Amino acid sequence: MNRIRRALLAALVFAIARPLAALAAWNKEAFSAKTPGEALKSLGIGDAAPAKDLHIEAPEIAENGAVVPIEISSAIPGTTALIVLLEKNPFPLTARFDFKEGALPFVKLNVKMAETADVRVLAEAGGKYYFAKQEIKITVGGCGG
Amino acid sequence: MRRLALLSAVLAFPAMADPTPADVQGIMQRDFHPRGQATMDRVVQDGLQRVCTETRDRPPADVAKALEADQLKTIVYPEGSLMGDWKRGEAIAQSGRGLTWNDKPGDPAGGSCYNCHELSPKELSHGTIGPSLRGFGKTRGTGPEVQRYVYGKIYNAKAYNACSQMPRLGASGTLTAAQIKDLVALLLDPASPVNE
Amino acid sequence: MAAGPMKMRASLGTGFTDVRVLMTHPMETGLRKDADGKVVPQHFIQNLTVKLNGKTVLDAQISQAVSRNPVFSFRLKGGAKGDKIEVSWLDNHGESAAIETVVA
Amino acid sequence: MKALAFGAALALSCAAYGQDVAKEIQRYRQMVAEGSPAELFELEGEELWKKPQGPKSVSLQRCDLGEGPGVLKAAYAHLPRYFKDADRVMDLEARLVHCMVTQQGRSREDAIARLFGTADRPSELELLSIYIAGQSRGVRLEPGMSHPKEKASYELGRALYFHRVGAWDFACASCHGDEGKRIRMQELPVLYKPQYARPVMASWPAYRISTSQVITLQWRMNDCYRQMRTPEPDFGSETTVALIHFLNATAHGAPYQGPGNKR
């Protein structure tokens, strides 16, 4: 198995330890926060205004908390970051995307949710913050055992 | 000419009859192996399974009646009240464990109730293979007759409907008498969420 | 599990380029127990970088709450045949991987 | 008063539940399918197909899956089928084991030592299955139905589908017998009817979202029997192959669209 993986790695992937190490910034404090409020504080975010131009596309019911697809996009001019918080997870802050010139403020990803909860998305634009929310219900599926 | 071709096609496979339940059982005895608590005696059909297989779950009325009478005799009622604790009953209804080859023998089993039935309105994830049991006790009360019926139905569903798809949860050794009593309470107790 | 293969697909839309990237990674939360009841240590991707023709266009920080074998879709402004897109990740064990593709 | 309002809200949400739930779950599945990592496993399966293994140190690239030695295109869509060299009907997995034994010189014990993998490490057969099935995309399902043993396999599969057995008296049809039923939130396809069998059978093997695992039809048969509370069926046995044969033959004509995604 390892040999195959290595072969595949050689074919598809090249090691890039050098450039990545330089930008390996990961906000440990914010990602370790146990409530959405603490996480936002660690990110230096105070007030956020509700925004209609910030879109969350997600199913209202997910059959499985291990894979919950979420698509987020912002039509707020000058959006430079999108932040995803899963309000009832043990560590709510789930992702922060910083968009530079050349990328549109759009991301689709799959997340894990411990239970039915709100997904809160924040957008940063021109130094101000905006938010949108959606509840996603998590159900039990299939046969027991 | 076409008829001739058809005839020869039929003649080419003279032994092509559908396998009987006995044939199938023989093949399963060859192709299966015991694992954990799932022993080989489980691929041997009892009379009821055989009749239901042969009739595609629609036995003639008199046969069904005889089978049901037979199954009724398997039900063992405990002494005293048949109403247990609906809260424990809810947990049993939720659990789908028990009797599979990777369940540990001796571990408490569940009734798999929500797999097929709607019970408490709080549980949105319920199956629809069996009828909804929401509000079951509201119209039927908690009298000894209805307790006896519910206990018996869970213990051996085939005593009331010979080829029911519901397992014989007591007769198969899946649930204990105390567990079945808890399920009776889940269905009948006015305080149970089923009767909200 | 070591880093496995990645796969990326870039397709031209109207006014943007759709990028979809798959990566093999366990994304262990550190809360899960294995069959023997032992806690599986945290192991998850923390940083994700998207470059277009050598220039970083997207920096992401993610948590262990991203699903196993992550799949991300991004959109890049404009885009043309021949554009080179590179996606790389770094996890909390210091392992990293990258993949690049040319818009066709 | 507050409790009353809550109760009313709950009743309302439950009333609205039936109609909206199916739609939302459908949307959930659609979104999950768009983000499936199944392709990653096809890559790994391809490596295994080409990797020399066993005492003879040869790859499986000369394995005849029914379309000729090494031909992968359409092979999966035409299985199970009768193989003269083995004088029996085989599905993909039984055939792969046959090739591992006859061509790579491996013992059957070695070939089937690790049938079902984990999320961390899918099994060899799972990865091979997902790769080979992917080479049938767009090809109509057409398992063998001309040889007498193929007909017998199909008939046995159908009989097994309705055969009530095990500690809980189940047949396949106990769950997959009536239209519009579900187990928990999972809809149950009535697999002996073509319109239900087609979309289902055209998407196996698959990536299972709840366990992040690659799953195959042999796994599916095995785990259904586990939940039917029977003993365990032998891997690639006449029984499991016959059921797969019956299901794929019922789905006859469906263009293969997998590997798919399962809950």
Side-chain angles (χ1 to χ4, degrees), chain D residues 5 25 183 220:
Chain D
I25 297 253
I183 191 158
R220 180 66 277 173

Short mmCIF file of all heavy atoms in Angstrom, two decimals, chain D residues 5 25 183 220:
data_model
loop_
_atom_site.label_atom_id
_atom_site.label_comp_id
_atom_site.label_asym_id
_atom_site.label_seq_id
_atom_site.Cartn_x
_atom_site.Cartn_y
_atom_site.Cartn_z
N ALA D 5 -46.79 27.36 22.59
CA ALA D 5 -46.29 27.89 21.33
C ALA D 5 -45.25 26.95 20.75
O ALA D 5 -45.23 26.66 19.55
CB ALA D 5 -45.68 29.28 21.54
N ILE D 25 -33.47 16.14 1.44
CA ILE D 25 -32.53 15.01 1.45
C ILE D 25 -31.99 14.80 0.04
O ILE D 25 -30.81 14.52 -0.16
CB ILE D 25 -33.21 13.73 1.99
CG1 ILE D 25 -33.61 13.97 3.44
CG2 ILE D 25 -32.33 12.51 1.80
CD1 ILE D 25 -32.82 13.28 4.51
N ILE D 183 -36.31 2.87 5.55
CA ILE D 183 -35.80 2.44 6.84
C ILE D 183 -35.12 3.67 7.42
O ILE D 183 -34.28 4.28 6.74
CB ILE D 183 -34.87 1.23 6.70
CG1 ILE D 183 -34.54 0.63 8.06
CG2 ILE D 183 -33.58 1.53 5.97
CD1 ILE D 183 -34.10 -0.82 7.98
N ARG D 220 -22.01 -5.37 0.07
CA ARG D 220 -23.44 -5.08 0.28
C ARG D 220 -24.22 -6.35 0.63
O ARG D 220 -25.04 -6.38 1.52
CB ARG D 220 -24.00 -4.39 -0.95
CG ARG D 220 -25.48 -4.01 -0.92
CD ARG D 220 -25.81 -2.94 0.10
NE ARG D 220 -25.98 -3.51 1.45
CZ ARG D 220 -26.14 -2.78 2.55
NH1 ARG D 220 -26.10 -1.46 2.50
NH2 ARG D 220 -26.30 -3.35 3.72
#
